[in-house]
Amino acid sequence: MTAKQLEHKLLTIPLVAIARHIPGDRLIPAAQALYAGGVRFIEVTLNSQGALDSIKALCRAFMHTDMSIGAGTVLGRAAAREAMDAGASFLVCPHTDPAVIEEALKADALALPGVMTPTDVAVALGAGARVMKLFPAGALGAAYVRQLRAPFDHVPFLAVGGVNLDNAAQYLAAGCAGLGLGGALVDAQAVMRGDYLVLTRLAQRYIALLSSSSYHEE
């Protein structure tokens, strides 16, 4: 799948599950539970133990499905290359790094740089990014989103960091195109209990929220 196709797919179901520090033996069943709930994008953060092996394992497990596997916390060009060599089709950063965006573009992978300020957005656009991760959204607040989108209303932002079922609708109403969710979706305690159904139900609730038209501002 090309980067453009991935972008279209992401904006159709704009929910990214963030798997951080999930043990390798628990990751596949957790991802399967998320998939059953409607998730079609999952990233493994590169600061997780065995992250590259986990990306490879997920790619094998979901080879014949429409689940897209990516890497998160991609810090630099070398990390981007390693992640894509492991099979990652999209790269997520906590920051704006033109080198990572460049590597993704060269491989026809999707780059999701982290942005916070107008300068970050401008730099990411200049490097060729099209969809961006607004981080840390929870600290910035929905009012900030509205202000940032005034000059950048053509940029799709995913709200990431401190977003949960209690406040997700606020970020969507403020104009965010979608959500990136870690512990609020990939519930580590449920995973360690082996209660994967919790993940399926959480995913269904977020998908329902994203599918609703009620959050859009008038």
Side-chain angles (χ1 to χ4, degrees), residues 41-137:
F41 282 79
I42 183 169
E43 67 171 88
V44 178
T45 64
L46 292 186
N47 62 343
S48 301
Q49 185 174 1
L52 295 176
D53 287 337
S54 292
I55 290 170
K56 292 176 184 177
L58 285 171
C59 288
R60 289 192 298 269
F62 289 93
M63 183 182 303
H64 301 298
T65 74
D66 59 346
M67 178 75 102
S68 294
I69 313 301
T73 317
V74 180
L75 304 176
R77 192 182 298 274
R81 290 174 177 167
E82 289 176 346
M84 290 186 293
D85 285 345
S89 60
F90 66 96
L91 304 177
V92 187
C93 305
H95 64 317
T96 304
D97 186 342
V100 172
I101 298 170
E102 179 185 340
E103 289 299 321
L105 290 174
K106 285 196 301 186
D108 205 13
L110 182 63
L112 300 174
V115 298
M116 185 174 72
T117 68
T119 300
D120 292 338
V121 178
V123 170
L125 286 171
R130 293 167 55 88
V131 182
M132 302 180 195
K133 163 185 170 179
L134 183 61
F135 177 81

Side-chain angles (χ1 to χ4, degrees), residues 5 11 13 37 41-42 49 63 66 72 109 113 136 179 186 206 212 214:
Q5 290 170 328
L11 295 179
I13 308 177
F41 282 79
I42 183 169
Q49 185 174 1
M63 183 182 303
D66 59 346
L179 309 169
V186 190
Y206 283 110
S212 171
S214 62

Side-chain angles (χ1 to χ4, degrees), residues 135-158:
F135 177 81
L140 297 169
Y144 182 86
V145 174
R146 292 187 184 92
Q147 293 172 338
L148 184 65
R149 287 196 72 252
F152 297 113
D153 57 353
H154 61 295
V155 177
F157 293 106
L158 302 182

Side-chain angles (χ1 to χ4, degrees), residues 118-205:
T119 300
D120 292 338
V121 178
V123 170
L125 286 171
R130 293 167 55 88
V131 182
M132 302 180 195
K133 163 185 170 179
L134 183 61
F135 177 81
L140 297 169
Y144 182 86
V145 174
R146 292 187 184 92
Q147 293 172 338
L148 184 65
R149 287 196 72 252
F152 297 113
D153 57 353
H154 61 295
V155 177
F157 293 106
L158 302 182
V160 183
V163 180
N164 52 50
L165 282 169
D166 292 331
N167 62 16
Q170 298 172 23
Y171 292 95
L172 297 171
C176 285
L179 309 169
L181 301 166
L185 174 57
V186 190
D187 185 322
Q189 292 184 351
V191 169
M192 295 313 295
R193 292 195 309 268
D195 190 2
Y196 299 109
L197 184 58
V198 169
L199 276 62
T200 299
R201 289 174 174 166
L202 283 170
Q204 289 170 337
R205 292 182 68 182

